[in-house]
Amino acid sequence: MQASFPPVVISGTGLYRPPHVITNAELVEAFNAYADQQNALHAAAIAAGERQPLTHSSVEFIEKASGIKQRYVIEKDGVLDPARMYPRFTPRGDDEISLMAEIAVDAARQALEQAGKTGADVDAVLCSSANMQRAYPAMAVEIQQALGAGGYGFDMNVACSSATFALEQAFNAVRSGASKCVLVVNPEITSAHLEWRDRDCHFIFGDVCTALIVERADTATGADQWEILGTQLATQFSSNIRNNFGFMNRAEDRDPNARDLTFYQEGRKVFKEVVPMAAAHIEAHLGKLGLEPTQVSRYWLHQANQGMNQLVIKKLVGADAGSEIAPLILDEYANTASAGSIIAFHHHRGDLKAGDAGVICSFGAGYSIGSVVVRKR
């Protein structure tokens, strides 16, 4: 006899958006100044054919390659300083709330308010992000304390699929009865691990934090509830998206500024390999739930590349991605790692009616793919 589980819903979402915007024009100006400085510094080696000159970036190149027009960042001046090209954060003492926990608490409070809950109602906190600020103690435990939540908290990292992977853990914890109200937060301070000095990727990321409240339907009091019909996760190892930064770097006697200690990828390979994987994953997941792709009202997809999303949707429903089917937010936010699909869900669900189905799906390094099928109650 198959076990019967109570309905579980997403009852609130929250979004922390940083105060600073970097437009493509600003980013290009800073990068090109950096490139000119480097080319001048290494002029002799370039002339001798020992080194390739750095090529200028352009607004047209960025928008054609990605669809991104701007991004939000927590700190702007350091990123746009040609002599630095990464953010400048002020260190905080151990007795102060960390930057990552601070933005997570901001997003979490919004989600709690929308769900009609307080921190005391939460008995599990999952902090799921592409890069954590520190190794330990867990960011989730710090967030738990700041909100006055009970139970437990832990961190998890599945790169750009971190949010959907955490959603499955929250879903399972609630429907099994292990937890009654789970907070999922996805703080993404991507500006700190992006290589702003690499023309191929300097435009990709932006900072943000999203939050979700997951609880049993019979305890939910918020006006906007989305029943989770099912979740599906998959991983397949690939080094085509990678960041080798970690605590063992010091023991390897390496250059702390080595290129592989920030984000890097084989973009064309990723595009070619991930698109069919993501489309097949979603179609198979829907099939298990007795749904056809054309019966889904909205796809809130990972926000990495406009062309990638268009191809995924074309494979699923035979049409180009439009705002009605698969809303894009990356033109404003850029790639926000695990938070992208949740931002799309946060901004673009208000027009759907009771009974409408949707898919939250993310895909990224690992490779990892996570899908969550929901229905408006």
Side-chain angles (χ1 to χ4, degrees):
M1 183 175 177
Q2 190 172 7
S4 177
F5 294 106
V8 176
V9 299
I10 298 171
S11 58
T13 61
L15 172 65
Y16 166 81
R17 189 174 69 187
H20 305 292
V21 171
I22 297 179
T23 66
N24 286 347
E26 290 175 302
L27 196 63
V28 166
E29 182 181 3
F31 177 85
N32 290 349
Y34 164 76
D36 290 343
Q37 288 180 4
Q38 291 297 303
N39 289 341
L41 181 64
H42 300 286
I46 292 170
E50 299 167 358
R51 185 185 181 101
Q52 291 296 315
L54 296 180
T55 305
H56 276 190
S57 187
S58 71
V59 170
E60 294 75 21
F61 161 68
I62 292 172
E63 294 187 6
K64 183 178 180 180
S66 66
I68 295 167
K69 296 183 179 179
Q70 64 165 54
R71 70 283 301 142
Y72 295 98
V73 292
I74 294 172
E75 200 282 326
K76 179 175 180 175
D77 293 343
V79 172
L80 296 182
D81 180 354
R84 183 178 176 89
M85 302 291 281
Y86 53 90
R88 185 177 284 106
F89 298 143
T90 302
R92 298 186 180 187
D94 290 351
D95 59 343
E96 298 176 278
I97 190 168
S98 64
L99 178 58
M100 184 169 276
E102 182 180 274
I103 68 173
V105 167
D106 183 292
R109 284 179 174 149
Q110 295 176 47
L112 286 166
E113 181 178 5
Q114 190 178 101
K117 294 287 187 285
T118 68
D121 294 313
V122 173
D123 61 353
V125 177
L126 310 185
C127 181
S128 193
S129 169
N131 280 265
M132 293 297 166
Q133 182 171 341
R134 61 171 180 262
Y136 44 80
M139 304 304 306
V141 180
E142 184 180 10
I143 296 161
Q144 175 195 22
Q145 180 190 50
L147 291 170
Y152 64 92
F154 66 85
D155 294 347
M156 60 184 295
N157 179 343
V158 203
C160 288
S161 296
S162 293
T164 50
F165 274 60
L167 264 174
E168 175 169 282
Q169 312 317 308
F171 172 58
N172 288 338
V174 171
R175 70 173 181 160
S176 70
S179 300
K180 58 185 176 66
C181 182
V182 180
L183 167 67
V184 175
V185 284
N186 318 110
E188 293 291 5
I189 307 178
T190 62
S191 58
H193 67 89
L194 175 59
E195 182 48 87
W196 297 94
R197 297 168 292 189
D198 185 332
R199 179 181 179 271
D200 288 339
C201 70
H202 77 113
F203 53 87
I204 289 180
F205 287 114
D207 297 334
V208 80
C209 183
T210 51
L212 300 137
I213 300 297
V214 179
E215 60 179 322
R216 282 174 55 147
D218 59 13
T219 68
T221 57
D224 188 42
Q225 299 176 24
W226 293 81
E227 182 178 352
I228 299 175
L229 302 181
T231 61
Q232 181 166 293
L233 312 178
T235 54
Q236 177 181 308
F237 186 72
S238 170
S239 284
N240 287 332
I241 312 172
R242 197 169 178 113
N243 184 334
N244 288 330
F245 180 80
F247 68 93
M248 292 177 64
N249 298 151
R250 181 181 68 164
E252 295 167 342
D253 296 324
R254 302 187 57 199
D255 175 5
N257 295 314
R259 177 64 187 89
D260 69 323
L261 301 185
T262 49
F263 166 86
Y264 69 104
Q265 69 172 351
E266 295 285 343
R268 289 181 177 84
K269 290 182 180 178
V270 171
F271 194 105
K272 182 179 179 181
E273 293 170 4
V274 169
V275 166
M277 286 174 60
H281 177 99
I282 294 170
E283 186 170 20
H285 188 192
L286 289 171
K288 290 179 181 178
L289 297 171
L291 292 169
E292 294 291 333
T294 51
Q295 293 177 292
V296 173
S297 300
R298 184 110 348 128
Y299 290 89
W300 301 284
L301 300 179
H302 175 50
Q303 303 285 315
N305 181 284
Q306 182 175 354
M308 180 177 285
N309 284 14
Q310 288 174 336
L311 276 176
V312 169
I313 289 299
K314 188 173 184 178
K315 286 179 178 293
L316 287 170
V317 300
D320 291 337
S323 60
E324 287 299 311
I325 301 172
L328 287 168
I329 54 89
L330 69 90
D331 56 340
E332 179 183 355
Y333 288 87
N335 182 342
T336 51
S338 71
S341 58
I342 308 304
I343 299 172
F345 179 66
H346 176 82
H347 279 315
H348 297 285
R349 70 177 191 268
D351 61 318
L352 296 185
K353 308 181 301 295
D356 285 348
V359 175
I360 303 169
C361 183
S362 54
F363 30 90
Y367 294 132
S368 55
I369 303 175
S371 55
V372 180
V373 181
V374 296
R375 181 172 57 207
K376 170 80 171 175
R377 287 175 67 90

